[in-house]
Amino acid sequence: MRKLERKGLKAILSLSGKPGLYRYVANSRWGIIVEPLEGGARFEVSGLQDVSSLYDIAIYTDDADMPLRKVYAKMAENKDRYLAITSKTSDEEVRAAFKEALPNYDSQRVYLSNMRKAFKWFSLLNAHGLTDFSDYDEESAQ
């Protein structure tokens, strides 16, 4: 089996049904091994479970979908503003901050829970020094 090379946001994963973010560690016989970004024991994730790389996640817009990494790159320009968004922030403030970061997001398909999750992930990434949201050549990323 070919070893996957995962770096940057490709190595940061979201697991369906589990809160938080996870770092890819290695392939295993039946799936992959991950470790929680916030610390904790490594564990195996079955190949049947839905796993999404932050590099591959996109936000719906009125035009084409916008990669989350590009939204985060824009948020990084004024990161103190976006790091201030917490679970206690009002719904109106969350929507306003998200609209600043991505003015043309599709308000029919991007829910408040998606916005809150995007801000939470942005805070987690920053807390762990993962702040390189640069876009790199798709061919070399494969």
Side-chain angles (χ1 to χ4, degrees):
M1 176 181 269
R2 183 176 73 102
K3 180 174 175 19
L4 291 176
E5 197 61 37
R6 292 187 178 252
K7 295 179 183 176
L9 286 184
K10 281 191 171 263
I12 306 302
L13 308 172
S14 168
L15 307 178
S16 67
K18 292 196 177 280
L21 295 173
Y22 301 84
R23 183 184 319 270
Y24 167 85
V25 176
N27 288 334
S28 69
R29 184 176 185 123
W30 306 111
I32 60 173
I33 298 180
V34 298
E35 62 186 4
L37 202 57
E38 295 180 341
R42 293 177 176 181
F43 61 94
E44 185 175 12
V45 177
S46 162
L48 300 176
Q49 186 171 356
D50 286 336
V51 176
S52 300
S53 164
L54 261 56
Y55 185 86
D56 296 327
I57 294 176
I59 305 289
Y60 296 117
T61 68
D62 295 330
D63 305 319
D65 294 350
M66 175 72 71
L68 184 61
R69 65 186 179 275
K70 289 185 179 182
V71 176
Y72 283 170
K74 180 163 181 178
M75 289 170 64
E77 295 171 5
N78 188 11
K79 76 177 184 176
D80 291 338
R81 160 79 170 116
Y82 301 108
L83 290 176
I85 304 294
T86 67
S87 60
K88 306 238 187 261
T89 304
S90 73
D91 295 350
E92 295 78 28
E93 287 180 80
V94 170
R95 285 188 182 97
F98 200 80
K99 188 152 186 80
E100 285 175 26
L102 187 61
N104 64 335
Y105 79 92
D106 185 341
S107 60
Q108 298 297 313
R109 298 195 292 174
V110 178
Y111 302 111
L112 182 64
S113 60
N114 302 128
M115 295 176 200
R116 287 190 180 279
K117 188 181 294 186
F119 288 126
K120 180 179 179 184
W121 288 352
F122 183 73
S123 294
L124 267 173
L125 293 170
N126 276 276
H128 294 282
L130 300 167
T131 57
D132 180 14
F133 306 116
S134 60
D135 206 8
Y136 53 92
D137 184 67
E138 294 288 334
E139 292 300 316
S140 65
Q142 305 272 328

